Amino acid sequence: MKNFTNVHDIGPLDAAVREALEIKKDRFAFTGLGRNKTLLMIFFNSSLRTRLSTQKAAMNLGMNVIVLDVNQGAWKLETERGVIMDGDKAEHLLEAIPVMGCYADIIGVRSFAGLRDKAEDYEERVISQFIKYSGRPVFSMEAATRHPLQSFADLITIEEFKTKERPKVVMTWAPHPKALPQAVPNSFAEWMNATDYEFVITHPEGYELDPAFVGGAKVEYDQKKALEGADFVYAKNWSAFADPNYGKVLSTDRAWTVDAEKMALTDNAFFMHCLPVRRNMIVTDDVIESERSIVIPEAANREISAQVVIKRLLESL
Ligand code: AN0
Ligand code: CP
C-alpha cells in the first residue's frame, strides 16, 4: 500500500479485517518492522483518539514517532499558491511539506474541511499536496472528505459484535451546535457500501450527503422508520453538503437525539459513535452508558486499524 486515504487503498475488506483480528491477538508480533523508521504525525486540527491510537500503533511496530501540531509552535502556513505572503503566514506549504518529508519515513495528516469552499474541500487539496510533494507514503488521520482510519475501526467493531451474517446498520444524523465536516459520515458510508450489510442513512431534509458517498445506500427521512429492526445505530452530526447551504447548520432539532425510546425500535441494537460526542445533543446519557453502547471498544479499535495501515505502509517502503 503506497498511501491510505480511502476504502479502495486497503483492498479486500475481509482480508483487512482478518489481518486486524490477527494483530489484535498479538499486537507486538511485528516490533522489528518499524525499527529505525520514523512516523511523522501532522495535526492541523485537534485530536484525542487519533493522536494516541496512531502513536500507539506505530510504537507497537517498533517505530519512532514525531508529532507536530501545526497551529501550536510551527510557523503559520500558507496553502494557496500565488499569494503575496505579506500577511501573518510565514511559510508556504510547498516548502514545509518536502522539508517534513526529509525527517520522516511515513507521514500521517489530519486536515479537516474548511466548510467554506466545497470545491476546495472535495478536491482534498491539503492531503493531495502531502502525497505529491512529501516523497513519502501518506495516510489520512481525517482529511476534508473522509476519515478512513475511523471507518476501518468501525468495520472491525461491527465484525466483532455482529450476531447476524448480514446486520442492519443505520447511520443517523443527530443534532450538534457547531458545523461539523461530512468526513466521518462520507467515509462510514463508503466503507459500509463496500460490505454486504443492509445499510440505511437517515437525516432531516437538507442534510443529503454527496451522492458519490451515499452510493446504493437506502436514504430514509423518517428516523423512527429507519431505526426499526436495526442491529447497529451509528450516530453522527454533519453540516449541510448541498448548495447553497454547504457547511451550514440547518437544524439543532433535539427530536433527532438518539434516546432510549428510539433504541427500543431497534433489534436491541448496539450504539456506536466515533467520539468526541456531545451528550444529550447527539445521544442521551442513558443510551451511551447502556450495556449496548460500544463506543469504548470502537475507540479501542482505532489502535488496531492504524496498526494494519502503518504495517502495510512499512511493508511497501
Ligand atoms: C470531528 C468531525 O466531526 O469530523 C472529528 C470527529 C472524529 N468532530 C468534531 O470536530 C467535534
Ligand atoms: N474519532 C476521532 O478521530 O477522535 P479524535 O478527533 O479525538 O482523534
Side-chain angles (χ1 to χ4, degrees):
M1 193 164 64
K2 292 290 171 216
N3 298 292
F4 176 72
T5 64
N6 64 58
V7 71
H8 307 294
D9 293 329
I10 199 93
L13 291 186
D14 50 351
V17 170
R18 237 180 293 124
E19 191 172 341
L21 298 177
E22 282 302 312
I23 282 175
K24 198 163 178 173
K25 270 190 251 157
D26 180 6
R27 55 194 85 192
F28 303 109
F30 300 94
T31 46
L33 191 62
R35 198 178 122 78
N36 294 337
K37 297 278 186 275
T38 299
L39 170 66
L40 177 58
M41 295 163 65
I42 308 286
F43 287 93
F44 288 85
N45 311 93
S46 306
S47 167
L48 187 151
R49 277 142 294 273
T50 304
R51 172 187 302 268
L52 298 179
S53 62
T54 310
Q55 176 159 0
K56 177 65 163 59
M59 294 192 305
N60 293 348
L61 292 162
M63 295 187 85
N64 300 313
V65 183
I66 306 174
V67 183
L68 178 66
D69 289 294
V70 171
N71 299 320
Q72 276 166 22
W75 303 107
K76 269 200 172 166
L77 291 178
E78 177 58 64
T79 56
E80 288 296 312
R81 201 173 164 279
V83 169
I84 298 167
M85 289 173 57
D86 61 354
D88 62 339
K89 293 174 178 166
E91 178 153 28
H92 203 287
L93 203 55
L94 289 171
E95 281 77 54
I97 291 175
V99 167
M100 292 184 219
C102 297
Y103 312 135
D105 297 286
I106 295 176
I107 301 180
V109 181
R110 165 163 285 200
S111 173
F112 288 179
L115 296 178
R116 284 176 300 275
D117 180 338
K118 186 197 275 191
E120 182 180 324
D121 290 343
Y122 275 70
E123 277 166 26
E124 287 288 6
R125 228 172 262 175
V126 174
I127 197 162
S128 305
Q129 294 193 79
F130 271 90
I131 290 170
K132 203 164 162 192
Y133 300 117
S134 71
R136 302 293 176 200
V138 171
F139 65 93
S140 166
M141 300 196 297
E142 185 170 341
T145 64
R146 294 176 175 88
H147 191 2
L149 284 176
Q150 180 65 50
S151 311
F152 186 13
D154 297 335
L155 174 67
I156 297 165
T157 310
I158 294 172
E159 284 296 304
E160 287 179 319
F161 282 88
K162 76 177 189 185
T163 53
K164 295 174 190 161
E165 193 52 46
R166 201 172 159 260
K168 178 176 177 183
V169 179
V170 179
M171 178 168 77
T172 180
W173 180 93
H176 188 277
K178 298 206 167 121
L180 296 184
Q182 297 103 32
V184 170
N186 282 347
S187 210
F188 188 69
E190 186 173 65
W191 286 66
M192 290 300 105
N193 284 330
T195 69
D196 62 358
Y197 305 159
E198 182 184 351
F199 179 52
V200 179
I201 304 173
T202 182
H203 55 71
E205 302 255 0
Y207 278 101
E208 291 75 14
L209 292 164
D210 182 348
F213 288 101
V214 174
K218 182 172 179 200
V219 177
E220 168 59 66
Y221 290 95
D222 181 337
Q223 189 193 33
K224 290 190 173 163
K225 218 165 139 192
L227 291 172
E228 278 169 19
D231 298 298
F232 293 88
V233 175
Y234 190 92
K236 185 72 184 85
N237 173 269
W238 62 87
S239 60
F241 168 77
D243 294 322
N245 293 320
Y246 179 70
K248 294 209 167 80
V249 175
L250 307 179
S251 162
T252 51
D253 184 359
R254 285 175 55 233
W256 279 79
T257 302
V258 178
D259 60 13
E261 203 181 307
K262 305 233 178 92
M263 291 302 285
L265 300 168
T266 70
D267 191 3
N268 197 21
F270 289 107
F271 175 81
M272 299 178 74
H273 189 281
C274 65
L275 307 181
V277 72
R278 288 188 185 234
R279 284 178 174 223
N280 304 308
M281 287 295 296
I282 302 279
V283 58
T284 57
D285 291 312
D286 53 345
V287 168
I288 198 164
E289 289 169 5
S290 78
E291 60 176 23
R292 303 304 281 178
S293 167
I294 53 174
V295 296
I296 306 304
E298 180 183 1
N301 279 332
R302 290 294 307 278
E303 177 182 342
I304 307 303
S305 65
Q307 198 169 331
V308 173
V309 167
I310 297 168
K311 173 173 172 281
R312 289 189 179 190
L313 294 173
L314 283 170
E315 283 164 347
S316 57
L317 277 181

